[in-house]
Structures are given as structure tokens and as C-alpha cells.
Amino acid sequence: MFSAHTHSGASFDAHHSPLLQHLNPEQLAAVTLPPEPALILAGAGSGKTRVLTTRIAWLLQTGQVTPGGVLAVTFTNKAAKEMMTRLQAMLPVNVRGMWIGTFHGLCNRFLRSHFKLANLPEAFQILDTQDQLSAIKRLCKQFNVDTDDERFAPKKLARFIGACKEEGQRPNMLDARDPETRKKIEIYQLYEEQCQREGVVDFGELMLRSFELLRDNDPIREHYRRRFRHILIDEFQDTNKLQYAWIKMIAGLPAEGGGAAVLAVGDDDQSIYAFRGARVGNMADFVREFNVQHQIKLEENYRSGSNILDSANELISHNTKRLGKNLRTSQGPGEPVRVIESTSDFAEAQWMVDEMKQLVREGLNRKEIAVLYRSNAQSRVIETALFNAGVPYRVYGGLRFFERAEIKHALAYLRLLENPVDDTSFMRVVNFPPRGIGARTIEQLQDAARAFEGGKGCSLHAAVSAIPGKAGANLSAFVAKIDVLREQTTGLNLREIIDLVLDHSGLLTHYRAEKEGADRIENLEELVNAAESFVTQEGFGRDAVALPVDEWGEPLTQSPVSQGLPVRPEPVEGPASTLRPTQDRPSSARTEGLAPDAETGETLSPLAAFLTHAALESGDNQAQAGQDAIQLMTVHASKGLEFDAVFIGGMEEGLFPHENAMSDYEGLEEERRLMYVAITRARQRLYLSHSQTRMLHGQTRYNLKSRFFDELPETALKWITPKNPGFGSGFGAGFNSSGASNKGAAYANPAWGRSSLGSNSEVFKSPPVPVQKAEAGHGIKAGMAVFHSKFGEGKVQAIEGTGNDARAQVNFPRHGVKWLALSVAKLTPI
DNA sequence: CGGCCTTAATTTTTT
DNA sequence: ATTAAGGCCG
């Protein structure tokens, strides 16, 4: 089954290539696999990216494929960039010209090449999630959809449409069994028409339309199948149904005589995106459908000591649905995994900060220390503690650069220059900065646009002339402004265009007058910089030198790598059928066959290319990158990263595993995988922390410590604070409430008051004192341990109401969280 | 039309 | 507790 093969497709001494040095046997086997479908099960920290990039380099170097014959897909731009950078470092190839990118980036490239066949305008624009939502809202208003009815809430509709697209379903393919679904499908249909009319596509559409073009156009499909001999997919466990279908379509299944060597790299244990459509099952499907004969496990971990790895292994072994894999290390045990209990989230944060300071004193870089948490809301208290201690920190997540309102506004103006019928952009800025165009006017305009030519409809831009009076004049002035800008900016370079638009749109003036506008101005200036570096890096812009690309869009390099290599896709002979492909792009001397690849921007204007870039790459979301600062992020955001020291906070039932995920088995397994990801981020030190109380949504919650503690090997752990009975032990109060001293005495333990580190003499600012909040009458208090005749022992989470209406939220380890009316339920304090 | 106030939501997220 | 979005009044 999973075994290390070392055969190679090349006959010469490929194994002596310097590329292959320092690879372990499994990595070497993966890199030098024969050109056939294969699955690499790559554990955390096992050198996955290295294998992927070395594989590509090795294939190129041994002449098994040309740069143009490689298709490498990732999920994030970051991963794609990393792959290109590392490949570039290994070989003198033009990685920019290679098809290495995200699913959406590559689909965009594909659709730009074949925009006519895809039935899209040449400069189609991409809607991000925000844009999509506002497009749906606009549509709902127009067609009088009752969005107050939560079944038809715009967000729900967006999810419905997205889900349909992921299933490959167009409106006409869907069956409406009930009125609700019928209406949703109808809205989906209208949404599609609206997008088509406005020349925009959402993210799902990029994927689906690419898939459909490949599926429905034989010459196109055959061309790409012949071309891409090697397809490599990163993070395969995160692929959704459509993405996998797309892979099958572009690779061709062996059963259909397809021949691409698909190398899928993934880790089922790190599948943490089922909630957004990822299907781990694609791994098993892949093995079956591609008749995979080569499966290799990369289990050697180069990151952590065995205490950390044993913890990860033991935890994940509690999952049932696994392909099976165990991380191992040749390092020693390393530091134990430290477990800390605090009395409050505040104390927890303070403890972390003190410990971090000690770590820094011992020589760790701050940027090598991370705090991971399950949900973003947890970051605040830690930020506060770090801030008060004067420790620099960096929070990942939140708004990304291109998502900021002021940037979106600027981009909307720019998009209107490219495409006046983009109503989403029109709506965004028609009255921003305010120019006396209100809701009433907009409504009139929308009515006029819809009624145009007896219901045929037209863009808002085109309907402006139909509006009379003052309102009409204001609208006309806006449209005229855009039209003038378009004229003024023709022939200018990207920087000049943006400068002019920022100025003439009134955005700069508006934000200058605003009290809090300084940051926004700064961001707008940053937009100019982003455009500038885009031009330089991507080679766009008026003066940019076009990339050397041959007639098939393959990069021309002078390197020996691609010289004289025979494999180059033949131009597709136009078959004598009606499916004969048409020339997509009018220009150029390419007369017959398919249009070659578009180097994005080769024909697009620099502005259009930049707008595409902005939509596909929302940019950084980290302020002050590069500073030596403590890293704060969700566990999700930490995937793929590693740190010397990792703190995982909020290790409590309801938080981690999250309450919304613990009810069903699948959800709990995903939470466990999430925990697995979190644990395996740590190189040297790992801290797991839980707190007796925690503020959530303005209320104090009393949580049991996470069940995951019971799934870790005791030998790898070091309980800094005394270990108290927890979730699995029947009942988990870390303190007593009635004065009886069961565990309370433990706090006299000398371990208290000292930090974990032998050398560390930090004193705890706040030893864990039981926190109690008295509630009137019934004698039941939040945080109390209680007994219920049916549910057994539990811990009171919260009290609500008074007198006969008083209810208690109680967490019973065996029965979950219950709300009990205190006038009815007999709860006895223990 | 614009500012202010009430209301509701608050797991995780990339493109 | 905090924030964002939508509705209402000046």
C-alpha cells in the first residue's frame, strides 16, 4: 500500500542530481515517481512543499516535461508564490510563465484566454464576496424579494448560489420540489442573468465556467489535456467537489485514456475546511478514479520533539475516519507540553504575556512565538495584556487591504472606467463621496433601468438619461464625471490613472475633511504603491517589456533546462465539426487552432489586469509585517506555519471544541483535526491553557476544560497548575463553590506562584481564586457544581432571570449543556 | 438627504 | 461587549 518506491521515469543518472540531495527516502521516492497518478500523504512538517517544488524541478531538469507542460495548483496566493520562489531558486526557469497558481487564478487565466468561447466580455471583472452580496441585495430589491424572510436573506441566497455552483448545478438543472427552493432557483437564475449583463463573475463562476468550457468544448479540453503532462495539487484534502471535477476534466481519467500524471499532495488529518465545502473524500475518490498505484506517506517530521508529536499522534488517533499516518521524529523528546489552568481569561492572557517575556529573555524571537485560538473574539483580551505590557504583537486576520472600504471605493471608480455597465461598482460610488443622489433617486434609476425597452433592461449607467429634474442632473453629472475620467486617463500609465481618479473622484478631498480620514488617505496612497509594484513585478504597464513567451504561451528561457526539449503541445487541428474552436482574440498572427495562453495582461490593459489582481489577491491583512512581534491568529490561519513556541488558549468545552461543532460526530472530528493542526505548529515549546471563566458576548461563561486534554498522552504533559478532574472525569470544576475543600487545597501547591520554567522566577500576578457570582433566592450560582437526579453532576454556566423565571444553564459532561428552570428542576449544590 | 439610533449577530475562511 | 447594518426622524 503505502510504501516508498524509488523508481524513476528517467533513464539517466537522475538520482545524482544535486536537487535530490538531503531528501529522505520517502521524499526522494515522491519526487522521482514515474509519470502516473500518485497520492502523497504528507504529515505536518514533513517537507511537503519541498517535495512538490523539487518534483517539478526534477521533472524539468530531467527533460520529462517542459515548463509549459506543468500545472501546479494551490489554494492560496501565498502558497503559489512560495512554490514559484522555491522553484526559481532551484532552476533558472521563468516561473511566471508557468501555470502555477491558485484554482481561481488559473481559471481566470484560462477564461481570459478563451473569453469568447466562455461567453464573457474581454475585460470581465471579478466579484469578491462583498460585491456578490451587494449584487444579490440589489437584485432582491429590484425583484421585490422579501429579504426579511430569513429563508431569502441575501447571505443565505449567496450561500445557496455558491453551493449550487460548487455542485456544478445551473438553475435550469435544478429541481424545485418546494416553493422555497423554487424561489431560490429563480433568484439564482436572475442573479446569473444580472452578472452576465454586467460582465462580472463571482469566485464560484470562475471555477464553474472553466469546468464547463473544458467539459463542453472537445478541442479545448483535448488541447489542455495534451499540454499538461504533469498536474500537481497542493492541500488536496481541501478541494471541493467542483475543484476535483475540474481536475478530472483537465487531467483526463485513465479510464477515458487520459494521461496526465496527477500528483495529489495532502493530509486528511489536516482537513479543517469542511465547513466551506472541502471534501476529504476526494482523496479516496482520487485513488479509485485515477487508479492510483503509488501512495507515499511522508511521516518524518522535522519540526518538533517527540512530546509534541506524541501528543498530536495520540489526539488524532481518536478520530475514526482516517487514512492512517503517524508522525515520527529523530529529535529527542524535547520540552514537555505544558498545561495551565487560569481563573479567568484575563489571568490567562496575563500568564501568557509573562511567560512570553521570559521566553524572549531566554533568547527567542518574538515572531517565533504565537498565540493560537479557536475564534477571533479571543484575541482581544490577549491583545490588551500584550499592549499593557508593551510587548509588540501582530494580529492576523481581519480586513485585508483590498477589502477596505476606501480601497473598494477607489477600485469601483477604476472598474467603471473599464466597464461602465458594472452596476455593482456604480451603486458603490454613485453617491460616494455624497453628491446629492439619495435612495429615492437610485430607486427611480433602477426602475428606469429595468423598464428599459419594455422590460429588456439596461445598465444603471444607460438609464441615467431617463431620470428628469434635479435628481437626473445629479446623476448625469456623475456619469459625465466618469466618462471624462475615462477620456482623461487613456494613454496614462497605471499610477497616473489612479492618481487622477483618486483626485477627481473626490475621494481624497472627502477623506481629508473626515476626522478619522488620515488612515484612509494613507491606504489610498498605499493603493498607488500597490499599483506601482504590480506594474514592476508583473511586467505590465506602458513601458513594461513583455515577457518572452513563445507562440504557445510557453516561457522562453535561455536556460539549458528547456532547450531542445521535444515535448510541446501540437496546435489543435480544427476538427471538421461544428466544435471547431474560434479564435478568441482578434489580434495577432495566430491564425489557426486555439488561442495560446494569455499571459494575463498581455492583451488586457494594465488597469484591467490590476483590477483582476485586486480581486483575486485581497492582499495582506497584517499590519507592520516584518516586525519582531508576537504572532496572534486563529488556529485556521496558522495552518502551514510553524513557531518556536506556541500558546493555545481557551482549551475549553464549547470553545475548543467549539459548541457549534460538538453536537455531531463529523464536527467533533474536524475540531480534533483543528487541534492537531494547532499542536503541530510548535517547534520547541507548546502551552495549552484553559480558564475557569471567560467573557463571551459580554457575559461570563464557566467552561469545563476541553475533552482534548483527555486525549493527550499523560507522559508528554506537564501540568503547571494542578491537574483537576475535567470533562472525561465525570465533572470538572476547577474549584469548589460550597466551601467544601475538594480541590481547593491544591492551590496551596508550591507549583503555584512559579512559572513552568526552571529558570523563570516570574510570580503569578493572580493566583486562581474561585470566582463566584451570587444570584438571588435559589442559592444556585454561576460556576457552581451541582447535582441533577437525571443528568448527574454538572457545572452551572450561567443564571438568567429571577424568582420563578430563573433558569440555569448547566453543562453536564454526559448530557451536554441544558437550560433548566430552577423552579422546576432540582439542582443540589455539591 | 444625512445623521442618529435601534437591532441583531457574534466559529473557522480563501478566492 | 462590540460592532455593523438598516430604519427613522430632522
Side-chain angles (χ1 to χ4, degrees), chain A residues 374 652-664 667-668 671 696-697 701 703 707 797 809 811 817:
Chain A
R374 177 63 180 82
E652 294 138 37
E653 286 291 298
L655 246 189
F656 204 177
H658 196 277
E659 54 194 345
N660 297 0
M662 32 197 272
S663 52
D664 67 300
L668 188 58
E671 292 294 298
L696 193 65
H697 308 323
R701 301 254 312 231
N703 296 322
R707 69 187 71 193
Q797 308 286 297
Q809 189 188 39
N811 192 340
V817 180

Side-chain angles (χ1 to χ4, degrees), chain A residues 370-374 633-635 638 643 646-649 678 681:
Chain A
V371 184
L372 309 184
Y373 33 81
R374 177 63 180 82
M633 67 192 78
T634 63
V635 179
S638 76
F643 308 92
V646 169
F647 293 77
I648 307 175
R681 299 308 96 196

Side-chain angles (χ1 to χ4, degrees), chain A residues 121-141:
Chain A
E122 182 166 13
F124 69 83
Q125 287 299 315
I126 297 163
L127 297 185
D128 67 15
T129 320
Q130 280 179 48
D131 298 332
Q132 186 194 28
L133 198 61
S134 55
I136 290 173
K137 283 181 187 164
R138 180 157 47 84
L139 182 141
C140 286
K141 204 161 222 169

Side-chain angles (χ1 to χ4, degrees), chain A residues 566-583:
Chain A
V567 192
R568 171 155 304 171
E570 297 292 314
V572 175
E573 297 296 327
S577 79
T578 50
L579 282 170
R580 192 166 199 275
T582 53
Q583 180 77 25

Side-chain angles (χ1 to χ4, degrees), chain A residues 111 114-122 124 196 199-201 209:
Chain A
L111 292 176
H114 308 293
F115 65 91
K116 275 189 187 162
L117 291 174
N119 191 23
L120 287 170
E122 182 166 13
F124 69 83
Q196 189 64 30
V200 294
V201 296
R209 212 175 276 220

